[in-house]
Amino acid sequence: GDSVTQMEGPVTLSEEAFLTINCTYTATGYPSLFWYVQYPGEGLQLLLKATKADDKGSNKGFEATYRKETTSFHLEKGSVQVSDSAVYFCALSPRAGTALIFGKGTTLSVSS
Amino acid sequence: SQTIHQWPATLVQPVGSPLSLECTVEGTSNPNLYWYRQAAGRGLQLLFYSVGIGQISSEVPQNLSASRPQDRQFILSSKKLLLSDSGFYLCAWSADRGSGNTIYFGEGSWLTVV
């Protein structure tokens, strides 16, 4: 069945370091891909998304490219800040009208 | 603009007691509605989703149930809570079509069963 696998955390970085959180997926057809972020004690917020192969989603300095050949949607940011500390979830939507399938989440901790 | 609200934000309930979490969406019609649970170290688990009034699909067999009495209202219930029901419950909605199926989440409800 459809699934999402993302790298285990926690990821601990110093401020201004480069961030990569890996995400790969298994799905039939052409799913849409998402990254959500959860700040401490809050619900999930959409960070970025891509709906077709080679699309690049970007927001708040984060970006991810939909790579169909490698079934990946890795999240990157060139220079992280302390305020980026949160849990990041990769997700896919197999097709319109279906619920999202989430990865287990990756905790990012950024220190100054 | 669309908004989603769920309540209560936190609650502590004894084992065997009932549960009712409520969620409402404003600013849209005929949304798809979802209940997810987030347990420590287990990511997000889809519990129920609904594509219309009275239409509920259950993803995981358990002692929880969901109801959709109105178009923009989604309720999560239990007659008798178990310790394993503790977790962070998230209500969410998406448009019935389009938008790349983006899901928007409420603020979440922390449930502790003691």
Side-chain angles (χ1 to χ4, degrees):
Chain A
D2 301 328
S3 65
V4 174
T5 303
Q6 60 182 105
M7 63 187 291
E8 299 271 342
V11 174
T12 304
L13 296 173
S14 297
E15 206 164 24
E16 299 183 3
F18 184 85
L19 168 71
T20 299
I21 300 178
N22 290 338
C23 172
T24 57
Y25 68 90
T26 301
T28 55
Y30 303 93
S32 295
L33 301 173
F34 304 80
W35 277 101
Y36 282 81
V37 59
Q38 184 180 33
Y39 298 103
E42 299 182 10
L44 274 71
Q45 302 174 26
L46 176 67
L47 182 59
L48 53 84
K49 69 178 184 182
T51 57
K52 60 183 187 296
D54 300 325
D55 269 1
K56 177 184 286 187
S58 61
N59 185 26
K60 300 180 180 179
F62 291 89
E63 59 181 35
T65 301
Y66 187 162
R67 301 287 189 196
K68 188 164 178 64
E69 65 274 15
T70 55
T71 61
S72 65
F73 194 53
H74 304 321
L75 182 68
E76 297 181 336
K77 186 174 185 181
S79 176
V80 294
Q81 305 300 311
V82 173
S83 57
D84 293 326
S85 298
V87 182
Y88 292 82
F89 291 90
C90 185
L92 72 83
S93 171
R95 54 198 170 277
T98 60
L100 294 189
I101 297 169
F102 285 86
K104 291 189 176 182
T106 302
T107 300
L108 170 65
S109 179
V110 180
S111 58
S112 57
Chain B
S1 62
Q2 300 87 2
T3 57
I4 177 170
H5 300 287
Q6 63 176 103
W7 66 94
T10 61
L11 65 166
V12 179
Q13 295 284 98
V15 169
S17 65
L19 170 73
S20 180
L21 299 178
E22 190 165 342
C23 171
T24 60
V25 180
E26 297 178 359
T28 187
S29 59
N30 196 33
N32 294 331
L33 297 172
Y34 311 86
W35 279 109
Y36 283 87
R37 177 170 60 198
Q38 185 177 19
R42 296 184 61 185
L44 282 161
Q45 179 185 35
L46 177 65
L47 301 176
F48 301 96
Y49 72 94
S50 171
V51 299
I53 295 174
Q55 301 178 64
I56 310 291
S57 296
S58 174
E59 293 294 307
V60 183
Q62 59 208 334
N63 68 319
L64 298 172
S65 62
S67 62
R68 185 170 178 173
Q70 300 180 42
D71 181 45
R72 292 170 291 174
Q73 184 184 26
F74 205 25
I75 299 172
L76 182 69
S77 303
S78 174
K79 293 182 179 179
K80 290 185 177 182
L81 284 168
L82 306 173
L83 286 174
S84 57
D85 291 325
S86 294
F88 190 47
Y89 288 81
L90 290 157
C91 182
W93 74 275
S94 67
D96 62 347
R97 56 179 59 85
S99 301
N101 208 37
T102 301
I103 286 184
Y104 302 93
F105 286 86
E107 307 92 336
S109 298
W110 284 101
L111 169 65
T112 303
V113 182
V114 297

